[in-house]
Amino acid sequence: MPGKNPYKTGGMFEGALPFIFENAKQLRGNMTATEMNLWMHLRKGINGFKFRRQHPIGIYIADFYYHKAKLVVEVDGSLHNTIEAKKANEVRQKELVQWGYTVIRFTNKQVMQQSENVIKSITELIVHKKHLKTNNRLCDSRVCSPL
């Protein structure tokens, strides 16, 4: 039995359209210093967990994504502090959670000044989700605000 098509709804990319992939490619080439800082930790893999950067999911692009846990990691810089951006983030996050994703957010300050704690929070969340899945329990998608 073949696996799910990653390009269709329910797949790894949740039906993302070609222009979303192009936008993601451009974002990968223009990462912020904070995103690059976190990527330097994630690209090596944390405990063998393979992350993707600027990953298309439906109409959205996740800053970082770990597919096996359906974990979206977002880094919020100063642009996310406006009322409009906060509302857009709320809508986006709510939709991702409805699709079964877990979203964890960090500020630029957390990533730059507390990177060990950020990595620890991400790792603990993945291990927790993996533990729940291993024990045949339903792992609810959650919105996480660590630190």
Side-chain angles (χ1 to χ4, degrees), residues 64-93:
F64 302 99
Y65 178 63
Y66 175 57
H67 181 63
K68 288 184 179 179
K70 291 187 84 169
L71 176 64
V72 173
V73 179
E74 291 294 317
V75 178
D76 293 340
S78 59
L79 293 176
H80 292 265
N81 292 334
T82 67
I83 293 170
E84 296 83 17
K86 286 181 181 183
K87 285 181 184 176
N89 282 343
E90 274 183 39
V91 169
R92 175 180 184 214
Q93 189 156 317

PDB file of all heavy atoms in Angstrom, residues 64-93:
ATOM      1  N   PHE A  64      10.223  26.399  11.041  1.00  0.00           N
ATOM      2  CA  PHE A  64      10.888  25.105  11.165  1.00  0.00           C
ATOM      3  C   PHE A  64       9.815  24.048  11.392  1.00  0.00           C
ATOM      4  O   PHE A  64       8.774  24.324  11.989  1.00  0.00           O
ATOM      5  CB  PHE A  64      11.886  25.111  12.333  1.00  0.00           C
ATOM      6  CG  PHE A  64      12.919  26.185  12.183  1.00  0.00           C
ATOM      7  CD1 PHE A  64      12.784  27.376  12.863  1.00  0.00           C
ATOM      8  CD2 PHE A  64      14.010  26.012  11.347  1.00  0.00           C
ATOM      9  CE1 PHE A  64      13.716  28.392  12.708  1.00  0.00           C
ATOM     10  CE2 PHE A  64      14.949  27.019  11.183  1.00  0.00           C
ATOM     11  CZ  PHE A  64      14.804  28.210  11.874  1.00  0.00           C
ATOM     12  N   TYR A  65      10.092  22.835  10.925  1.00  0.00           N
ATOM     13  CA  TYR A  65       9.080  21.792  10.986  1.00  0.00           C
ATOM     14  C   TYR A  65       9.726  20.425  11.186  1.00  0.00           C
ATOM     15  O   TYR A  65      10.696  20.079  10.522  1.00  0.00           O
ATOM     16  CB  TYR A  65       8.277  21.795   9.677  1.00  0.00           C
ATOM     17  CG  TYR A  65       7.228  20.720   9.582  1.00  0.00           C
ATOM     18  CD1 TYR A  65       6.156  20.697  10.466  1.00  0.00           C
ATOM     19  CD2 TYR A  65       7.300  19.734   8.613  1.00  0.00           C
ATOM     20  CE1 TYR A  65       5.181  19.707  10.385  1.00  0.00           C
ATOM     21  CE2 TYR A  65       6.331  18.751   8.516  1.00  0.00           C
ATOM     22  CZ  TYR A  65       5.284  18.744   9.405  1.00  0.00           C
ATOM     23  OH  TYR A  65       4.328  17.772   9.324  1.00  0.00           O
ATOM     24  N   TYR A  66       9.162  19.650  12.112  1.00  0.00           N
ATOM     25  CA  TYR A  66       9.558  18.262  12.323  1.00  0.00           C
ATOM     26  C   TYR A  66       8.339  17.402  11.994  1.00  0.00           C
ATOM     27  O   TYR A  66       7.349  17.406  12.732  1.00  0.00           O
ATOM     28  CB  TYR A  66      10.038  18.039  13.760  1.00  0.00           C
ATOM     29  CG  TYR A  66      10.354  16.598  14.059  1.00  0.00           C
ATOM     30  CD1 TYR A  66      11.283  15.893  13.303  1.00  0.00           C
ATOM     31  CD2 TYR A  66       9.712  15.927  15.092  1.00  0.00           C
ATOM     32  CE1 TYR A  66      11.567  14.564  13.566  1.00  0.00           C
ATOM     33  CE2 TYR A  66       9.999  14.594  15.360  1.00  0.00           C
ATOM     34  CZ  TYR A  66      10.921  13.924  14.589  1.00  0.00           C
ATOM     35  OH  TYR A  66      11.194  12.605  14.843  1.00  0.00           O
ATOM     36  N   HIS A  67       8.434  16.670  10.889  1.00  0.00           N
ATOM     37  CA  HIS A  67       7.269  15.988  10.341  1.00  0.00           C
ATOM     38  C   HIS A  67       6.732  14.855  11.212  1.00  0.00           C
ATOM     39  O   HIS A  67       5.516  14.744  11.388  1.00  0.00           O
ATOM     40  CB  HIS A  67       7.583  15.458   8.940  1.00  0.00           C
ATOM     41  CG  HIS A  67       6.437  14.758   8.307  1.00  0.00           C
ATOM     42  ND1 HIS A  67       5.249  15.404   8.011  1.00  0.00           N
ATOM     43  CD2 HIS A  67       6.261  13.458   7.941  1.00  0.00           C
ATOM     44  CE1 HIS A  67       4.407  14.537   7.478  1.00  0.00           C
ATOM     45  NE2 HIS A  67       4.994  13.352   7.424  1.00  0.00           N
ATOM     46  N   LYS A  68       7.595  14.019  11.758  1.00  0.00           N
ATOM     47  CA  LYS A  68       7.112  12.849  12.505  1.00  0.00           C
ATOM     48  C   LYS A  68       6.238  13.243  13.694  1.00  0.00           C
ATOM     49  O   LYS A  68       5.357  12.493  14.090  1.00  0.00           O
ATOM     50  CB  LYS A  68       8.272  11.974  12.958  1.00  0.00           C
ATOM     51  CG  LYS A  68       8.904  11.219  11.815  1.00  0.00           C
ATOM     52  CD  LYS A  68       9.983  10.278  12.290  1.00  0.00           C
ATOM     53  CE  LYS A  68      10.571   9.520  11.115  1.00  0.00           C
ATOM     54  NZ  LYS A  68      11.640   8.613  11.531  1.00  0.00           N
ATOM     55  N   ALA A  69       6.482  14.418  14.261  1.00  0.00           N
ATOM     56  CA  ALA A  69       5.671  14.890  15.390  1.00  0.00           C
ATOM     57  C   ALA A  69       4.670  15.961  14.965  1.00  0.00           C
ATOM     58  O   ALA A  69       3.940  16.486  15.798  1.00  0.00           O
ATOM     59  CB  ALA A  69       6.576  15.445  16.492  1.00  0.00           C
ATOM     60  N   LYS A  70       4.637  16.287  13.658  1.00  0.00           N
ATOM     61  CA  LYS A  70       3.797  17.384  13.152  1.00  0.00           C
ATOM     62  C   LYS A  70       4.007  18.636  14.011  1.00  0.00           C
ATOM     63  O   LYS A  70       3.064  19.288  14.440  1.00  0.00           O
ATOM     64  CB  LYS A  70       2.328  16.977  13.096  1.00  0.00           C
ATOM     65  CG  LYS A  70       2.058  15.919  12.020  1.00  0.00           C
ATOM     66  CD  LYS A  70       0.585  15.653  11.853  1.00  0.00           C
ATOM     67  CE  LYS A  70      -0.021  16.688  10.921  1.00  0.00           C
ATOM     68  NZ  LYS A  70      -1.380  16.359  10.502  1.00  0.00           N
ATOM     69  N   LEU A  71       5.278  18.946  14.251  1.00  0.00           N
ATOM     70  CA  LEU A  71       5.651  20.067  15.110  1.00  0.00           C
ATOM     71  C   LEU A  71       6.114  21.254  14.280  1.00  0.00           C
ATOM     72  O   LEU A  71       7.063  21.144  13.498  1.00  0.00           O
ATOM     73  CB  LEU A  71       6.766  19.645  16.075  1.00  0.00           C
ATOM     74  CG  LEU A  71       7.325  20.759  16.963  1.00  0.00           C
ATOM     75  CD1 LEU A  71       6.261  21.312  17.913  1.00  0.00           C
ATOM     76  CD2 LEU A  71       8.531  20.255  17.742  1.00  0.00           C
ATOM     77  N   VAL A  72       5.463  22.376  14.469  1.00  0.00           N
ATOM     78  CA  VAL A  72       5.831  23.632  13.835  1.00  0.00           C
ATOM     79  C   VAL A  72       6.516  24.498  14.885  1.00  0.00           C
ATOM     80  O   VAL A  72       5.963  24.717  15.959  1.00  0.00           O
ATOM     81  CB  VAL A  72       4.576  24.366  13.289  1.00  0.00           C
ATOM     82  CG1 VAL A  72       4.925  25.756  12.779  1.00  0.00           C
ATOM     83  CG2 VAL A  72       3.898  23.529  12.210  1.00  0.00           C
ATOM     84  N   VAL A  73       7.721  24.974  14.566  1.00  0.00           N
ATOM     85  CA  VAL A  73       8.469  25.856  15.460  1.00  0.00           C
ATOM     86  C   VAL A  73       8.516  27.229  14.802  1.00  0.00           C
ATOM     87  O   VAL A  73       8.996  27.364  13.672  1.00  0.00           O
ATOM     88  CB  VAL A  73       9.900  25.338  15.707  1.00  0.00           C
ATOM     89  CG1 VAL A  73      10.665  26.295  16.618  1.00  0.00           C
ATOM     90  CG2 VAL A  73       9.872  23.933  16.299  1.00  0.00           C
ATOM     91  N   GLU A  74       8.011  28.227  15.502  1.00  0.00           N
ATOM     92  CA  GLU A  74       7.965  29.590  14.979  1.00  0.00           C
ATOM     93  C   GLU A  74       8.862  30.506  15.794  1.00  0.00           C
ATOM     94  O   GLU A  74       8.924  30.388  17.021  1.00  0.00           O
ATOM     95  CB  GLU A  74       6.533  30.129  15.014  1.00  0.00           C
ATOM     96  CG  GLU A  74       5.598  29.456  14.031  1.00  0.00           C
ATOM     97  CD  GLU A  74       5.951  29.735  12.580  1.00  0.00           C
ATOM     98  OE1 GLU A  74       6.269  30.902  12.254  1.00  0.00           O
ATOM     99  OE2 GLU A  74       5.929  28.789  11.783  1.00  0.00           O
ATOM    100  N   VAL A  75       9.536  31.416  15.105  1.00  0.00           N
ATOM    101  CA  VAL A  75      10.365  32.437  15.744  1.00  0.00           C
ATOM    102  C   VAL A  75       9.705  33.777  15.467  1.00  0.00           C
ATOM    103  O   VAL A  75       9.533  34.159  14.310  1.00  0.00           O
ATOM    104  CB  VAL A  75      11.806  32.418  15.182  1.00  0.00           C
ATOM    105  CG1 VAL A  75      12.629  33.519  15.816  1.00  0.00           C
ATOM    106  CG2 VAL A  75      12.449  31.060  15.410  1.00  0.00           C
ATOM    107  N   ASP A  76       9.323  34.465  16.532  1.00  0.00           N
ATOM    108  CA  ASP A  76       8.605  35.734  16.401  1.00  0.00           C
ATOM    109  C   ASP A  76       9.524  36.912  16.682  1.00  0.00           C
ATOM    110  O   ASP A  76       9.946  37.139  17.813  1.00  0.00           O
ATOM    111  CB  ASP A  76       7.417  35.777  17.367  1.00  0.00           C
ATOM    112  CG  ASP A  76       6.346  34.770  17.007  1.00  0.00           C
ATOM    113  OD1 ASP A  76       6.319  34.306  15.845  1.00  0.00           O
ATOM    114  OD2 ASP A  76       5.534  34.437  17.882  1.00  0.00           O
ATOM    115  N   GLY A  77       9.810  37.665  15.631  1.00  0.00           N
ATOM    116  CA  GLY A  77      10.594  38.882  15.765  1.00  0.00           C
ATOM    117  C   GLY A  77       9.693  40.071  16.015  1.00  0.00           C
ATOM    118  O   GLY A  77       8.484  39.930  16.248  1.00  0.00           O
ATOM    119  N   SER A  78      10.256  41.251  15.930  1.00  0.00           N
ATOM    120  CA  SER A  78       9.509  42.480  16.230  1.00  0.00           C
ATOM    121  C   SER A  78       8.348  42.700  15.265  1.00  0.00           C
ATOM    122  O   SER A  78       7.351  43.328  15.629  1.00  0.00           O
ATOM    123  CB  SER A  78      10.444  43.686  16.215  1.00  0.00           C
ATOM    124  OG  SER A  78      11.064  43.811  14.944  1.00  0.00           O
ATOM    125  N   LEU A  79       8.434  42.163  14.053  1.00  0.00           N
ATOM    126  CA  LEU A  79       7.326  42.305  13.101  1.00  0.00           C
ATOM    127  C   LEU A  79       6.058  41.627  13.600  1.00  0.00           C
ATOM    128  O   LEU A  79       4.959  41.974  13.179  1.00  0.00           O
ATOM    129  CB  LEU A  79       7.709  41.716  11.738  1.00  0.00           C
ATOM    130  CG  LEU A  79       8.808  42.437  10.969  1.00  0.00           C
ATOM    131  CD1 LEU A  79       9.148  41.676   9.701  1.00  0.00           C
ATOM    132  CD2 LEU A  79       8.397  43.854  10.649  1.00  0.00           C
ATOM    133  N   HIS A  80       6.204  40.689  14.501  1.00  0.00           N
ATOM    134  CA  HIS A  80       5.053  39.955  15.032  1.00  0.00           C
ATOM    135  C   HIS A  80       4.365  40.696  16.181  1.00  0.00           C
ATOM    136  O   HIS A  80       3.384  40.211  16.720  1.00  0.00           O
ATOM    137  CB  HIS A  80       5.487  38.562  15.516  1.00  0.00           C
ATOM    138  CG  HIS A  80       5.914  37.665  14.409  1.00  0.00           C
ATOM    139  ND1 HIS A  80       5.081  36.764  13.804  1.00  0.00           N
ATOM    140  CD2 HIS A  80       7.107  37.534  13.784  1.00  0.00           C
ATOM    141  CE1 HIS A  80       5.726  36.121  12.850  1.00  0.00           C
ATOM    142  NE2 HIS A  80       6.966  36.570  12.826  1.00  0.00           N
ATOM    143  N   ASN A  81       4.877  41.859  16.542  1.00  0.00           N
ATOM    144  CA  ASN A  81       4.316  42.607  17.672  1.00  0.00           C
ATOM    145  C   ASN A  81       3.179  43.543  17.298  1.00  0.00           C
ATOM    146  O   ASN A  81       2.530  44.094  18.180  1.00  0.00           O
ATOM    147  CB  ASN A  81       5.427  43.404  18.383  1.00  0.00           C
ATOM    148  CG  ASN A  81       6.410  42.497  19.087  1.00  0.00           C
ATOM    149  OD1 ASN A  81       6.077  41.377  19.473  1.00  0.00           O
ATOM    150  ND2 ASN A  81       7.630  42.969  19.249  1.00  0.00           N
ATOM    151  N   THR A  82       2.915  43.740  16.018  1.00  0.00           N
ATOM    152  CA  THR A  82       1.824  44.620  15.621  1.00  0.00           C
ATOM    153  C   THR A  82       0.488  43.918  15.847  1.00  0.00           C
ATOM    154  O   THR A  82       0.423  42.675  15.871  1.00  0.00           O
ATOM    155  CB  THR A  82       1.940  45.025  14.133  1.00  0.00           C
ATOM    156  OG1 THR A  82       1.737  43.859  13.325  1.00  0.00           O
ATOM    157  CG2 THR A  82       3.291  45.670  13.825  1.00  0.00           C
ATOM    158  N   ILE A  83      -0.553  44.693  15.988  1.00  0.00           N
ATOM    159  CA  ILE A  83      -1.893  44.131  16.195  1.00  0.00           C
ATOM    160  C   ILE A  83      -2.288  43.242  15.020  1.00  0.00           C
ATOM    161  O   ILE A  83      -2.809  42.143  15.210  1.00  0.00           O
ATOM    162  CB  ILE A  83      -2.932  45.259  16.411  1.00  0.00           C
ATOM    163  CG1 ILE A  83      -2.645  45.971  17.732  1.00  0.00           C
ATOM    164  CG2 ILE A  83      -4.347  44.711  16.383  1.00  0.00           C
ATOM    165  CD1 ILE A  83      -3.437  47.246  17.944  1.00  0.00           C
ATOM    166  N   GLU A  84      -2.008  43.713  13.806  1.00  0.00           N
ATOM    167  CA  GLU A  84      -2.363  42.943  12.609  1.00  0.00           C
ATOM    168  C   GLU A  84      -1.619  41.606  12.575  1.00  0.00           C
ATOM    169  O   GLU A  84      -2.196  40.568  12.262  1.00  0.00           O
ATOM    170  CB  GLU A  84      -2.037  43.733  11.331  1.00  0.00           C
ATOM    171  CG  GLU A  84      -2.829  45.012  11.173  1.00  0.00           C
ATOM    172  CD  GLU A  84      -2.229  46.198  11.945  1.00  0.00           C
ATOM    173  OE1 GLU A  84      -1.043  46.142  12.349  1.00  0.00           O
ATOM    174  OE2 GLU A  84      -2.968  47.164  12.171  1.00  0.00           O
ATOM    175  N   ALA A  85      -0.331  41.651  12.889  1.00  0.00           N
ATOM    176  CA  ALA A  85       0.473  40.421  12.867  1.00  0.00           C
ATOM    177  C   ALA A  85       0.012  39.446  13.941  1.00  0.00           C
ATOM    178  O   ALA A  85      -0.053  38.236  13.703  1.00  0.00           O
ATOM    179  CB  ALA A  85       1.954  40.752  13.051  1.00  0.00           C
ATOM    180  N   LYS A  86      -0.318  39.976  15.118  1.00  0.00           N
ATOM    181  CA  LYS A  86      -0.806  39.096  16.194  1.00  0.00           C
ATOM    182  C   LYS A  86      -2.101  38.413  15.798  1.00  0.00           C
ATOM    183  O   LYS A  86      -2.285  37.217  16.050  1.00  0.00           O
ATOM    184  CB  LYS A  86      -0.975  39.892  17.494  1.00  0.00           C
ATOM    185  CG  LYS A  86       0.347  40.234  18.152  1.00  0.00           C
ATOM    186  CD  LYS A  86       0.145  40.995  19.430  1.00  0.00           C
ATOM    187  CE  LYS A  86       1.505  41.333  20.045  1.00  0.00           C
ATOM    188  NZ  LYS A  86       1.404  42.014  21.307  1.00  0.00           N
ATOM    189  N   LYS A  87      -3.000  39.152  15.155  1.00  0.00           N
ATOM    190  CA  LYS A  87      -4.266  38.565  14.703  1.00  0.00           C
ATOM    191  C   LYS A  87      -4.010  37.506  13.627  1.00  0.00           C
ATOM    192  O   LYS A  87      -4.607  36.429  13.656  1.00  0.00           O
ATOM    193  CB  LYS A  87      -5.198  39.648  14.162  1.00  0.00           C
ATOM    194  CG  LYS A  87      -5.823  40.498  15.238  1.00  0.00           C
ATOM    195  CD  LYS A  87      -6.756  41.540  14.646  1.00  0.00           C
ATOM    196  CE  LYS A  87      -7.293  42.447  15.744  1.00  0.00           C
ATOM    197  NZ  LYS A  87      -8.137  43.525  15.189  1.00  0.00           N
ATOM    198  N   ALA A  88      -3.137  37.820  12.696  1.00  0.00           N
ATOM    199  CA  ALA A  88      -2.816  36.861  11.623  1.00  0.00           C
ATOM    200  C   ALA A  88      -2.172  35.598  12.204  1.00  0.00           C
ATOM    201  O   ALA A  88      -2.496  34.485  11.776  1.00  0.00           O
ATOM    202  CB  ALA A  88      -1.884  37.512  10.605  1.00  0.00           C
ATOM    203  N   ASN A  89      -1.291  35.777  13.177  1.00  0.00           N
ATOM    204  CA  ASN A  89      -0.656  34.623  13.823  1.00  0.00           C
ATOM    205  C   ASN A  89      -1.682  33.757  14.536  1.00  0.00           C
ATOM    206  O   ASN A  89      -1.597  32.527  14.516  1.00  0.00           O
ATOM    207  CB  ASN A  89       0.421  35.068  14.816  1.00  0.00           C
ATOM    208  CG  ASN A  89       1.712  35.464  14.134  1.00  0.00           C
ATOM    209  OD1 ASN A  89       1.954  35.135  12.985  1.00  0.00           O
ATOM    210  ND2 ASN A  89       2.541  36.197  14.852  1.00  0.00           N
ATOM    211  N   GLU A  90      -2.647  34.404  15.202  1.00  0.00           N
ATOM    212  CA  GLU A  90      -3.704  33.661  15.899  1.00  0.00           C
ATOM    213  C   GLU A  90      -4.504  32.798  14.922  1.00  0.00           C
ATOM    214  O   GLU A  90      -4.764  31.625  15.194  1.00  0.00           O
ATOM    215  CB  GLU A  90      -4.657  34.624  16.613  1.00  0.00           C
ATOM    216  CG  GLU A  90      -4.232  35.028  17.986  1.00  0.00           C
ATOM    217  CD  GLU A  90      -5.279  35.930  18.644  1.00  0.00           C
ATOM    218  OE1 GLU A  90      -6.495  35.689  18.483  1.00  0.00           O
ATOM    219  OE2 GLU A  90      -4.857  36.884  19.324  1.00  0.00           O
ATOM    220  N   VAL A  91      -4.905  33.403  13.808  1.00  0.00           N
ATOM    221  CA  VAL A  91      -5.695  32.683  12.808  1.00  0.00           C
ATOM    222  C   VAL A  91      -4.876  31.519  12.246  1.00  0.00           C
ATOM    223  O   VAL A  91      -5.366  30.392  12.149  1.00  0.00           O
ATOM    224  CB  VAL A  91      -6.128  33.639  11.668  1.00  0.00           C
ATOM    225  CG1 VAL A  91      -6.703  32.876  10.489  1.00  0.00           C
ATOM    226  CG2 VAL A  91      -7.133  34.658  12.197  1.00  0.00           C
ATOM    227  N   ARG A  92      -3.642  31.807  11.896  1.00  0.00           N
ATOM    228  CA  ARG A  92      -2.750  30.798  11.324  1.00  0.00           C
ATOM    229  C   ARG A  92      -2.546  29.638  12.306  1.00  0.00           C
ATOM    230  O   ARG A  92      -2.658  28.469  11.947  1.00  0.00           O
ATOM    231  CB  ARG A  92      -1.422  31.472  11.005  1.00  0.00           C
ATOM    232  CG  ARG A  92      -0.383  30.538  10.530  1.00  0.00           C
ATOM    233  CD  ARG A  92       0.889  31.311  10.246  1.00  0.00           C
ATOM    234  NE  ARG A  92       1.831  30.369   9.691  1.00  0.00           N
ATOM    235  CZ  ARG A  92       3.110  30.404   9.890  1.00  0.00           C
ATOM    236  NH1 ARG A  92       3.646  31.347  10.604  1.00  0.00           N
ATOM    237  NH2 ARG A  92       3.888  29.505   9.368  1.00  0.00           N
ATOM    238  N   GLN A  93      -2.244  29.983  13.553  1.00  0.00           N
ATOM    239  CA  GLN A  93      -1.981  28.964  14.559  1.00  0.00           C
ATOM    240  C   GLN A  93      -3.225  28.120  14.814  1.00  0.00           C
ATOM    241  O   GLN A  93      -3.146  26.895  14.913  1.00  0.00           O
ATOM    242  CB  GLN A  93      -1.498  29.626  15.846  1.00  0.00           C
ATOM    243  CG  GLN A  93      -0.989  28.641  16.863  1.00  0.00           C
ATOM    244  CD  GLN A  93      -0.027  29.281  17.833  1.00  0.00           C
ATOM    245  OE1 GLN A  93       0.830  30.046  17.448  1.00  0.00           O
ATOM    246  NE2 GLN A  93      -0.188  28.962  19.100  1.00  0.00           N
TER     247      GLN A  93
END
